[in-house]
Amino acid sequence: MRISKLFIDQQVADHPLTQSIQARLDVPAIIVQDARQVHELVVSTPDPILSGKEILYLSRNQGAFFKRCPGTRNYTCCDYRILHIGTFCYMDCAYCILQTYFHPPVLEFFVNHEDLIAELNTVLAQKSIFRIGTGEFTDSMIWTLWTDVARLLVDHFAAQQHAVLELKTKTTAVEQLQDLNHNRKTIAAWSLNTPRIIRTEERGTAGLSARIDAAARCEKWGYPLAFHFDPLIIYDGCEQEYFHVIENLFSRLSAQNMVWISLGTLRFPPAMKPLIQKRFPDSKIVYAEFIRGRDGKMRYFKPLRIDLYRKIIECIRNHAPDIVVYLCMEDDEVWQKTLGFKPDDVGGLAHMLDMSAVKHCHLNLDTIA
Ligand code: SF4
C-alpha cells in the first residue's frame, strides 16, 4: 500500500476527521473544489485504476450510507444491506469488480460520520433483523490504518440486539478490534482462496495463513467469524488445493463459532476481460470457457460450477456437518444439486442467514417488531 497524495474536498477541509486522517497519513494534501478535479487527474494517468489506489480522497457522502446489496433478481439473493463508508481498495485483485464499477475508481472515504450514525440509528430503530456489511464497495478493514471507523461501528452495533455488522477483509488489520466490548454483534469475516490464487491474482493482499491467524485472534477476542470462498476459480488441481484451505481453516478455528460460509464461482462482466488481460498479463483466469449468465456476467458452465460446489461442500461438511453454507448468486437448480435443498425449502436464503445470525450473535427476537 502506498498512498502518495491526499485530496480533500473543500466541503470537509475543516472536519475533525479530515484533520485526524491528515495527521496520521503525513503525505501532501491538496484541497479540491469537487470530485471532478480528482477524477480528471486520475484518468490522465497511464493506469487510472492503479492511480486510483494510490491517492486518497476525503469527501462528504451526499447520498445514502445505507443501501441494499445490488444483487440481481435472476439469482437467489441474500437481502444483505450495505453500509457505504467509502469506495475502492488499495489491494489489487485481478477479478475485482470495483475496477469497472466506478468511473474512474478512486480510493474515497466519507468523513461525515455524524450523518452515517444518524442514518444508521434510523435504520436500527426499525427493529428488523439486518445483516449489514461495509465490504461491498471496498475492503472493510483497510480504513483502520487511518481512522477509527471499525471501533465506531463495533461500539454502535454492540448497543443494540437485532442487527449484525459483518466486517469482510483480505487483510490482517484487526488490531482495532481488540479490547472492544462488541457483544458479539460484529462478525469478523475473510474472503479465502488457495495460496496459488492469492499469489497470482490477489496483489497486495495478506497470505492465507496470515488471514487465518488474524481470524484466530478475533476468535480469541470473542468475535463470531464468517468466511467467503468467492471467487472459486477452476484450474488443474484446484479441488485438492481448496480442500487444503478448508482443512487448514478447521484445524485452526472452531466450526461452532462460524456464522456462515459462502461459496461463489468466478463471474465478471464481459468488459472486464480486456482490462484483466491488460492489467494482469500473467493472469489465466479469463481463458477458461464461460457462458453469459442471466445477469449478463460471464461464468463457468453450470455442470462445472455444480461439480466444484459439490466437492467443496462435501469437504466442509466432513469437518463441520451443521455449518450454514450458502451460494452467492446461483439458482434453485444449483442449490438443489449441491446443497440438497432450495432456499424456499428453509423459508428463503435471507431467513436462513438471519436465523444463523440470531443463534451466533445472540440477537434478541423479542426486540424485533
Ligand atoms: S481485496 Fe476486495 S476490494 Fe480489494 S481489490 Fe481485492 S476484490 Fe477488490
Side-chain angles (χ1 to χ4, degrees), residues 85-365:
I85 57 171
T87 60
F88 213 31
C89 179
Y90 61 66
M91 295 174 278
D92 201 9
C93 302
Y95 52 76
C96 180
I97 187 77
L98 300 179
Q99 296 176 96
T100 54
Y101 205 83
F102 302 102
H103 300 287
V106 170
L107 201 54
E108 178 173 6
F109 188 69
F110 306 126
V111 298
N112 51 325
H113 282 177
E114 58 287 352
D115 298 327
L116 180 155
I117 291 298
E119 197 177 323
L120 187 57
N121 285 342
T122 309
V123 169
L124 296 179
Q126 292 173 28
K127 298 206 182 302
S128 299
I129 299 178
F130 284 116
R131 287 168 282 107
I132 302 172
T134 53
E136 292 301 305
F137 299 131
T138 181
D139 181 283
S140 296
M141 299 307 284
I142 58 170
W143 308 102
T144 62
L145 299 185
W146 318 297
T147 76
D148 294 334
V149 64
R151 181 175 302 129
L152 174 82
L153 296 178
V154 170
D155 285 348
H156 212 76
F157 275 77
Q160 53 74 56
Q161 301 191 67
H162 50 271
V164 291
L165 170 70
E166 185 176 28
L167 296 176
K168 190 162 48 167
T169 188
K170 289 194 182 103
T171 74
T172 57
V174 294
E175 293 75 15
Q176 205 169 102
L177 301 181
Q178 189 173 7
D179 294 331
L180 299 185
N181 182 15
H182 52 77
N183 197 17
R184 286 188 72 86
K185 300 301 177 287
T186 295
I187 301 168
W190 276 264
S191 301
L192 297 180
N193 225 307
T194 64
R196 182 192 304 256
I197 293 297
I198 293 174
R199 197 172 55 244
T200 58
E201 314 291 345
E202 299 183 349
R203 289 178 192 154
T205 65
L208 177 67
S209 303
R211 292 183 207 182
I212 295 178
D213 286 349
R217 269 184 283 158
C218 289
E219 181 163 83
K220 200 170 96 202
W221 300 333
Y223 288 90
L225 304 177
F227 296 94
H228 301 276
F229 286 85
D230 196 350
L232 292 165
I233 293 177
I234 297 177
Y235 57 89
D236 280 349
C238 68
E239 290 100 339
Q240 286 306 322
E241 295 186 14
Y242 281 115
F243 297 162
H244 282 139
V245 178
I246 293 163
E247 277 157 25
N248 194 346
L249 186 68
F250 288 108
S251 72
R252 299 284 318 278
L253 302 164
S254 159
Q256 285 72 37
N257 193 40
M258 295 181 195
V259 189
W260 46 64
I261 292 181
S262 79
L263 307 177
T265 50
L266 177 66
R267 52 210 179 275
F268 57 91
M272 264 187 70
K273 182 173 176 178
L275 188 76
I276 295 173
Q277 288 170 314
K278 186 167 168 217
R279 295 200 63 244
F280 296 83
D282 296 331
S283 172
K284 308 210 171 25
I285 60 173
V286 293
Y287 299 110
E289 278 193 281
F290 295 101
I291 50 147
R292 204 169 171 142
R294 280 177 275 153
D295 55 0
K297 290 185 186 160
M298 309 309 290
R299 44 175 64 212
Y300 300 123
F301 288 110
K302 196 179 263 192
L304 296 180
R305 305 203 307 272
I306 289 174
D307 184 54
L308 183 59
Y309 287 139
R310 266 190 188 146
K311 290 173 177 158
I312 288 185
I313 290 166
E314 188 187 353
C315 183
I316 293 173
R317 292 266 178 257
N318 286 340
H319 292 275
D322 301 323
I323 203 160
V324 170
V325 179
Y326 70 96
L327 305 179
C328 191
M329 297 294 147
E330 289 291 359
D331 62 21
D332 281 357
E333 182 193 350
V334 179
W335 273 76
Q336 187 69 51
K337 289 184 172 166
T338 58
L339 283 156
F341 64 92
K342 300 188 289 297
D344 282 350
D345 300 339
V346 291
L349 174 56
H351 177 74
M352 178 175 123
L353 299 183
D354 284 350
M355 289 306 106
S356 192
V358 167
K359 177 177 155 199
H360 288 92
C361 305
H362 306 164
L363 301 188
N364 183 353
L365 288 174

